[in-house]
Amino acid sequence: MPHPHPHPHPPRPSYPPYSGGVPGESDESLAAQLRSRPEGETGVPVALLTARHWQATHEYAVICLATSARTASMVTTAAFHQVLERVMRAESAVALRPRFLVAVRDIVREWSADDRISDVLPDLTKPAGGRGMRAAKAMTAENRKLAERSFQALPGLAQCLLWHTEVEADPMNFPAVLLGMDTNMAAASLEQAREQFREGCVRAHRELAPSKECRFYNRLLDIPIRRGGALLPDVQQHLSVCHYCRYAAEQLSHFEGGLGTLLAEAVLGWGARRYLDSRPGRSQSGTRLRGHARHRGSGSSGEGAGGRGVGLGRHRLLSRITSPRRPLPGATRNRRTLLTSVGLASTVVLAVVLGSGLWPKDGSGADPAASSSATAGRGATPAVSSSPPATGNNPTSIRQTRLRDVTADQCLDIRGGRATAGAVARLASCSTAWTQLWTYEDDGQLRSVANPELCLDSHADAGVVILGRCAAASAERGNDVRYDLTVRGELLPRWAEGLAVAPASGDPDTDVVVKVRDGSADQHWLTDTVTASPESLSIGGSPGKAAQVYADPR
């Protein structure tokens, strides 16, 4: 018996119900049927694809036109015809939804620019619709270009999973059906898709960077945002004057809970927020979206309806960065001034200071940790085993030392505990680990005792210090693995004046990077001290050779 007072607008389901096709019929399998059938007999595949994607596409057409008149149906039909025609010509049918939507946007813009069409379809002349799109210089804003480029470069599977989970807020079973995948496999693939998308944004920032300085800050921008820490002061200073990197930082911040907003604005541009608000999956006060954020291990609250409550803690951090009018903490001098004033004033002196224990020797067979720590008042340094690691051909006659950061009171180590090419340098509690032992060569190389073929490389990974192949001074990348040691314990990479090796932040287990040299305590390193002897003035077991140490002129 029908309800006596039916509501004119029945409540919409919490997510789009699956309709069209039997389970297992992916969009691509329906497209294959479309291609294999004779012309005029494509009704079933077209009908099933239409059942899956028509409603959302039509709703976006209404947004683009600012009207629900029959013109919206005409635009939607034209978009389906355009996209499915390309699919029949062997174009992939994976991730159809965003392609239908983009086709709608482009058709509205194209039709509104043609006076012959707009004369017969006056709905195209609305300021909030076609006329506004016609006047816009571009559909994607400048502050979404990196995300747009990254999404376009993703494989169709990643695009489909990201769009339906993050933008449409569909349950995982829906994109799984579209892809013909098991739900568990789709969930695992989604995590890979998120990482691919982020890496694509980082890569796009590097490839499109307008200056060498922007490229230099590439990883120094990504890593702190990824880990939820504060950006380095010199990075903040750069962002205050560079809108390109400021936009990049803001886009990367969305990966901590507001990915749907970023994707919609990057792919659609026009009407992206209104489209997000129209998604049924977002009508439940963001409940499922907060679950997505928790699943990714994010501490943010996720985004509510329309994607506006995104990662509030992280966005407060970025709001301080992205406003060019507000001075940034610790950013009192620009990098160019530092490079000039610091680099020209350095002078070279003989390594007589080594006699006072700056670089200890172990050729005498004494345990390098037998003496007290170089860090006064902080306790003795843990003992280091006198036997070499089982990695073969490790020199035992070369002077070995730990490098301890003055501020953090932690030692230079290798992430993962294995000295392999590409491993990232980090700070760790000082211990007996062989990955914390280094030799300083007479040519400036810092060689890993755990793997003597590898040296600290501060240039290969955009300022993040990693282990790389040791290189001859005459080699193309020779200066990338060479450093000058000042009498104050600063490690200055030879490939760029005015920089110093230092921890990325004050947090435990932080990465080691290169920063603008500012003389602060966190850029000073201490070494294990031993009783000095005449032989200790030599480096690398070659008596008579002295290392070059830069005196601080200030």
Side-chain angles (χ1 to χ4, degrees):
M1 180 177 178
H3 195 280
H5 302 288
H7 197 283
H9 301 290
R12 303 174 69 180
S14 60
Y15 57 85
Y18 169 70
S19 60
V22 297
E25 278 194 299
S26 66
D27 280 358
E28 184 58 48
S29 67
L30 292 174
Q33 297 174 36
L34 198 62
R35 301 182 193 109
S36 63
R37 295 190 180 190
E39 189 175 352
E41 298 182 13
T42 57
V44 174
V46 170
L48 298 180
L49 290 171
T50 302
R52 291 176 174 181
H53 302 290
W54 176 272
Q55 184 64 35
T57 308
H58 184 267
E59 288 172 357
Y60 183 55
V62 171
I63 291 169
C64 289
L65 291 164
T67 178
S68 58
R70 63 185 180 89
T71 310
S73 296
M74 294 174 60
V75 169
T76 307
T77 302
F80 267 74
H81 176 76
Q82 186 182 101
V83 172
L84 293 182
E85 185 177 26
R86 292 198 298 262
V87 167
M88 290 185 66
R89 294 175 181 173
E91 189 174 292
S92 171
V94 180
L96 283 177
R97 180 70 60 82
R99 285 155 62 188
F100 283 132
L101 300 176
V102 170
V104 161
R105 182 198 68 188
D106 293 344
I107 288 170
V108 171
R109 194 181 192 199
E110 179 186 348
W111 286 6
S112 64
D114 192 318
D115 292 334
R116 296 171 302 172
I117 301 177
S118 58
D119 284 345
V120 297
L121 296 175
D123 292 328
L124 292 167
T125 62
K126 291 181 177 294
R131 194 167 78 188
M133 296 174 71
R134 179 179 180 175
K137 293 182 178 179
M139 290 294 96
T140 302
E142 189 66 27
N143 64 350
R144 291 293 177 261
K145 290 295 185 183
L146 302 184
E148 178 190 34
R149 181 185 176 102
S150 176
F151 186 80
Q152 289 175 348
L154 289 174
L157 183 145
Q159 290 183 351
C160 180
L161 287 169
L162 286 172
W163 188 267
H164 283 278
T165 56
E166 301 289 352
V167 178
E168 307 287 342
D170 291 335
M172 185 59 69
N173 68 306
F174 189 79
V177 169
L178 300 184
L179 293 166
M181 298 177 67
D182 174 79
T183 303
N184 292 332
M185 184 179 296
S189 300
L190 174 61
E191 294 306 311
Q192 295 178 352
R194 288 194 184 105
E195 186 59 32
Q196 283 180 295
F197 183 38
R198 183 180 192 123
E199 286 300 321
C201 290
V202 175
R203 183 168 56 253
H205 172 263
R206 183 174 63 251
E207 293 173 348
L208 301 178
S211 70
K212 182 179 180 180
E213 191 173 27
C214 293
R215 286 191 294 274
F216 171 77
Y217 285 118
N218 180 256
R219 287 294 299 277
L220 300 181
L221 195 65
D222 173 50
I223 291 176
I225 295 175
R226 182 188 293 267
R227 296 184 176 177
L231 295 178
L232 303 177
D234 47 313
V235 178
Q236 296 182 28
Q237 169 65 27
H238 176 71
L239 263 60
S240 70
V241 297
C242 176
H243 72 273
Y244 174 79
C245 290
R246 193 160 61 246
Y247 291 159
E250 194 271 333
Q251 288 172 83
L252 290 174
S253 74
H254 280 275
F255 283 84
E256 306 307 319
L259 205 51
T261 302
L262 177 66
L263 278 166
E265 293 179 349
V267 176
L268 301 179
W270 188 272
R273 288 293 184 126
R274 283 174 286 163
Y275 182 75
L276 282 169
D277 289 342
S278 74
R279 299 302 80 215
R282 294 174 176 270
S283 63
Q284 304 300 313
S285 301
T287 302
R288 292 199 359 264
L289 296 176
R290 285 193 293 271
H292 279 284
R294 287 193 298 270
H295 178 66
R296 291 195 297 270
S298 168
S300 67
S301 62
E303 62 180 7
R308 289 188 170 88
V310 290
L312 296 179
R314 185 65 48 83
H315 279 267
R316 287 193 204 97
L317 167 68
L318 266 296
S319 67
R320 295 197 297 270
I321 296 168
T322 55
S323 175
R325 298 181 180 86
R326 300 185 61 179
L328 296 164
T332 57
R333 295 175 291 175
N334 69 34
R335 181 171 180 268
R336 187 172 292 104
T337 302
L338 282 170
L339 293 178
T340 304
S341 61
V342 177
L344 296 179
S346 296
T347 57
V348 180
V349 296
L350 293 176
V352 178
V353 291
L354 293 176
S356 61
L358 185 62
W359 288 94
K361 73 181 188 70
D362 63 1
S364 63
D367 188 340
S371 63
S372 61
S373 168
T375 309
R378 291 178 181 172
T381 304
V384 177
S385 170
S386 59
S387 59
T391 56
N393 71 351
N394 284 285
T396 56
S397 61
I398 294 180
R399 205 159 293 100
Q400 301 171 359
T401 186
R402 274 181 296 262
L403 287 171
R404 184 195 298 266
D405 180 71
V406 171
T407 302
D409 194 26
Q410 290 189 314
C411 290
L412 182 66
D413 202 341
I414 301 300
R415 191 168 298 284
R418 297 186 61 187
T420 57
V424 176
R426 62 154 183 160
L427 285 187
S429 298
C430 296
S431 69
T432 59
W434 277 95
T435 50
Q436 292 188 7
L437 286 181
W438 307 89
T439 61
Y440 184 66
E441 307 283 332
D442 55 350
D443 61 357
Q445 291 191 115
L446 270 171
R447 190 181 296 269
S448 170
V449 172
N451 189 340
E453 295 181 355
L454 301 179
C455 294
L456 277 189
D457 190 329
S458 60
H459 200 192
D461 200 4
V464 178
V465 179
I466 64 172
L467 278 184
R469 293 290 173 185
C470 301
S474 59
E476 180 181 354
R477 301 189 65 251
N479 282 341
D480 294 353
V481 292
R482 282 170 170 74
Y483 307 85
D484 292 309
L485 175 68
T486 72
V487 293
R488 300 201 311 181
E490 297 166 299
L491 283 174
L492 310 180
R494 294 185 182 178
W495 59 271
E497 291 183 344
L499 301 179
V501 175
S505 70
D507 300 329
D509 193 39
T510 188
D511 290 336
V512 175
V513 299
V514 286
K515 299 181 181 180
V516 175
R517 182 188 178 197
D518 58 13
S520 59
D522 69 336
Q523 295 185 2
H524 294 173
W525 300 89
L526 298 173
T527 64
D528 296 323
T529 54
V530 295
T531 303
S533 65
E535 292 81 11
S536 67
L537 295 179
S538 65
I539 300 295
S542 304
K545 290 186 178 180
Q548 289 183 338
V549 179
Y550 278 80
D552 190 340
R554 291 174 290 176

